[in-house]
Amino acid sequence: GTPNAETWRWNGTAWSLLQPAQSPPPPLTLAAETAPPADVQVLADNERCGSDYMVDVFKSLGFEYVCANPGSSFRGLHESFVNHGGNKGPELITCCHEESSVAMAHAYFKAEGKPLAVMAHGTVGLQHASMAIYNAWCDRVPVYVILGTHADAAIRRGAEWYHGVQDAAGMVRDYTKWDDFPWSLGHFSESAVRAYQIALTPPMAPVVMVLDGGLQEHPISKDERLSVPKLSMPAPPQGDLGAVEQAARMLVAAEYPVLVADRLARTPNGMNLLVELAEALQAAVIDQGSRMNFPSRHPLNQTQRARAPVAEADVIVGLEPVDFWGTVNALRDQLHRSTRRVAKPTAKLISISTGDLYIRANYQDFRRMQEVDLAIAADGEATLPPLIEAVKRLTTADRRRVYEERGIHLAQASRAAAEASRTAASYAWDASPVSTGRLSAEIWAQIKNEDWSLVSSYYSSDQTNWPRRLWNFDKSYQWLGHAGGGGIGYGAPASVGGALANRKYGRLSVAIQTDGDMMYAPGVLWTAAHHKIPILSVMNNNRAYHMELMHVQRMCNARNRGVDRGIIGSQLTDPNIDYAKLAQSMGVYAEGPITNPNDLAPALRRAIAVVKRGEPALVDVVTQVR
């Protein structure tokens, strides 16, 4: 017989069996979506989790923010921050890379004067964060790193095996000040407070707290008595009074004393103290820029002509110097490197620094050793008050008249250097791409009447560092210094960290952002947009890693091969990167690329209006190479 018509179909050559129609799956109901799993363990009414207690301890330390790229090894602490802690004091800042988290913390401290916390996930999170931790170490900035892990191998899930490690902090121990791996909640509370104390006691540096996942997640009885230790910060070490008196006598008797400050100003008062000392002596001051040490337009500021006062000096004081040898000597980087003394052979050298109090062997961030006549191993800022008192007490009327004459000559030299910088900035004023001098001048014209802060790292010599040559820096938060270790990728996230600190004060945060640095961690633009961190980022887009390009060209020259091919491997072209579109894709207002310098001022005004509304903005400016 003929097959049933409902089951079979004739296709012209053969019968085929029809498949019954499949009913669409039923829609997922709200009840099904929200129902708990059939088998789930929850805390009992008389229990709480260890990470809630951890949050109580962290709150006692005064953290306002905790930066993190989410990771399962600190999921318990993450949940406690947002629920038990109410996501306030500290508030969780979502980052797209651990290096960005630490760089944000680095600059935040330099703007605010206190640390924020960073959470990182196991081996991979700490490896991502390690470059930024090294920058903070070289800059002697306290970053508080909380590292999650799972120490108990018997209960690790699959990924926890290659994200776990026996000695988690070992990979960064050479460039952190202290670390610990607490075994109990009582152990944790003491170590958490101790880590904060150690990090913020000069010489300051990063610390690492390794917190086991089980310690975070295991329930404990609500009746268990766990106290929160009291934080007591030690006073920073002050210089021996006998040595301070000797330094004062040398300064008072000097005909041409020079004060060289680098990592000196730990607090806003550090700049006030240096001004007081300089004016008491009418001494030349060179601010080497790791901190905001001295007002840029003060008549005693000789930073723009630093070699001349060093060569003339009979007494040079290094105040927390990073590279005292490089201050009084010069190195010629040619085929055969050579050195020469810049300072007079008879010049007396004094150092006041915590550099001798804490040093490591493996990483060579301590620079070449400089012989000095008087070394005071102490915190520079803490030692300034007794030094000022001694200088004023020892100064006679005759010496004061000498000082006044010296001050007149220094003021004249300072004005001449400033005028030379303004003239230099006018060169190539109408050039396209835009000159770096005009870029800085146009930004200054738009912000000079605002309460502004330059939050970007501008790591270059004073010959090309246009903001510090053209702008009027006279507040501690207006300059945050550089990356410390010179690691590229610091600038963009550090700028957002500095802007986060400035936000509650209503300051206009400004970053001159280099292009190569931005490409290391562009996701921080999303962090700024998501958390509504107002910042004006102006791209100094020369479409190259230009310092490295010049190094390769120097090698080409030294080997008589011409410089044409020296650009290979260092340019960011073909295709050119559109930073405005990159920023727009992450929710940031952006304009550019700007190549006509006449378009720059209007674009800056529009962007600043956005920042004043409480949002980030970016202006992409294609610039000359220097």
Side-chain angles (χ1 to χ4, degrees), residues 24-92:
L28 190 61
T29 64
L30 178 63
E33 280 187 324
T34 57
D39 180 20
V40 63
Q41 296 175 338
V42 297
L43 289 174
D45 291 340
N46 64 338
E47 292 178 328
R48 60 174 175 156
C49 53
S51 56
D52 281 0
Y53 169 67
M54 292 177 178
V55 168
D56 293 339
V57 174
F58 288 132
K59 278 180 172 288
S60 76
L61 298 175
F63 290 113
E64 291 189 69
Y65 301 101
V66 54
C67 289
N69 180 254
S72 61
S73 61
F74 55 82
R75 64 186 185 182
L77 189 57
H78 184 151
E79 190 277 338
S80 290
F81 273 130
V82 298
N83 285 322
H84 175 70
N87 197 33
K88 185 176 181 180
E91 174 188 347
L92 190 66

Side-chain angles (χ1 to χ4, degrees), residues 319-601:
L319 298 165
E320 297 292 350
V322 174
D323 185 8
F324 207 1
W325 185 92
T327 300
V328 298
N329 297 278
L331 185 146
R332 188 170 182 261
D333 182 12
Q334 294 292 333
L335 186 60
H336 300 287
R337 294 189 179 187
S338 59
T339 63
R340 65 180 178 86
R341 172 94 169 191
V342 175
K344 295 176 181 177
T346 57
K348 300 296 183 184
L349 306 184
I350 302 169
S351 71
I352 305 175
S353 173
T354 54
D356 295 328
L357 298 178
Y358 195 80
I359 198 167
R360 292 290 180 87
N362 193 26
Y363 287 87
Q364 305 285 294
D365 66 296
F366 41 77
R367 306 297 182 98
R368 188 166 174 177
M369 190 183 79
Q370 176 57 51
E371 297 175 359
V372 299
D373 299 280
L374 177 61
I376 302 176
D379 179 71
E381 182 176 324
T383 304
L384 283 182
L387 180 60
I388 293 167
E389 191 278 329
V391 164
K392 290 181 176 180
R393 175 170 40 82
L394 293 169
T395 299
T396 64
D398 287 342
R399 293 307 295 161
R400 198 170 291 113
R401 282 191 290 272
V402 173
Y403 299 169
E404 289 171 0
E405 174 113 9
R406 186 164 62 214
I408 292 170
H409 291 303
L410 288 171
Q412 291 170 344
S414 180
R415 285 193 297 270
E419 184 59 34
S421 289
R422 286 189 288 270
T423 300
S426 69
Y427 298 152
W429 186 257
D430 294 318
S432 177
V434 181
S435 72
T436 52
R438 181 160 185 180
L439 178 72
S440 289
E442 294 281 10
I443 296 172
W444 175 239
Q446 301 301 322
I447 70 169
K448 62 184 179 181
N449 296 322
E450 307 285 347
D451 183 17
W452 58 272
S453 171
L454 182 62
V455 292
S456 56
S457 168
Y458 211 100
Y459 195 87
S460 68
S461 73
D462 286 303
Q463 296 305 309
T464 55
N465 189 351
W466 288 113
R468 280 165 57 84
R469 296 172 69 187
L470 300 176
W471 301 9
N472 182 20
F473 292 84
D474 59 6
K475 297 180 178 64
S476 62
Y477 54 81
Q478 289 177 335
W479 172 258
L480 304 187
H482 48 72
I488 301 177
Y490 166 85
S495 297
V496 175
L500 178 63
N502 287 331
R503 182 173 63 179
K504 67 181 178 182
Y505 301 107
R507 299 168 186 156
L508 176 61
S509 297
V510 181
I512 300 177
Q513 175 60 51
T514 55
D515 51 335
D517 178 276
M518 172 63 82
M519 293 310 294
Y520 271 63
V524 77
L525 293 171
W526 177 88
T527 296
H530 178 71
H531 291 281
K532 291 184 168 47
I533 301 173
I535 178 175
L536 170 64
S537 296
V538 183
M539 295 300 303
N540 179 7
N541 179 9
N542 61 24
R543 292 175 172 166
Y545 292 104
H546 193 73
M547 183 176 291
E548 285 63 38
L549 186 153
M550 290 190 299
H551 278 300
V552 176
Q553 288 183 330
R554 176 171 290 183
M555 291 295 97
C556 293
N557 259 334
R559 295 163 185 178
N560 294 312
R561 292 172 179 165
V563 298
D564 293 347
R565 293 174 60 81
I567 63 175
I568 297 173
S570 300
Q571 287 192 319
L572 292 172
T573 58
D574 192 23
N576 297 327
I577 300 166
D578 190 327
Y579 293 96
K581 287 182 179 177
L582 176 69
Q584 290 163 1
S585 75
M586 300 191 199
V588 175
Y589 173 90
E591 294 190 31
I594 291 173
T595 56
N596 185 339
N598 295 324
D599 296 334
L600 182 53

Side-chain angles (χ1 to χ4, degrees), residues 142 149 159 231 305 391 413 470:
T149 191
L231 173 65
R305 52 182 297 271
V391 164
L470 300 176

Side-chain angles (χ1 to χ4, degrees), residues 136 173 266 428:
R173 189 164 291 134
R266 286 184 294 99

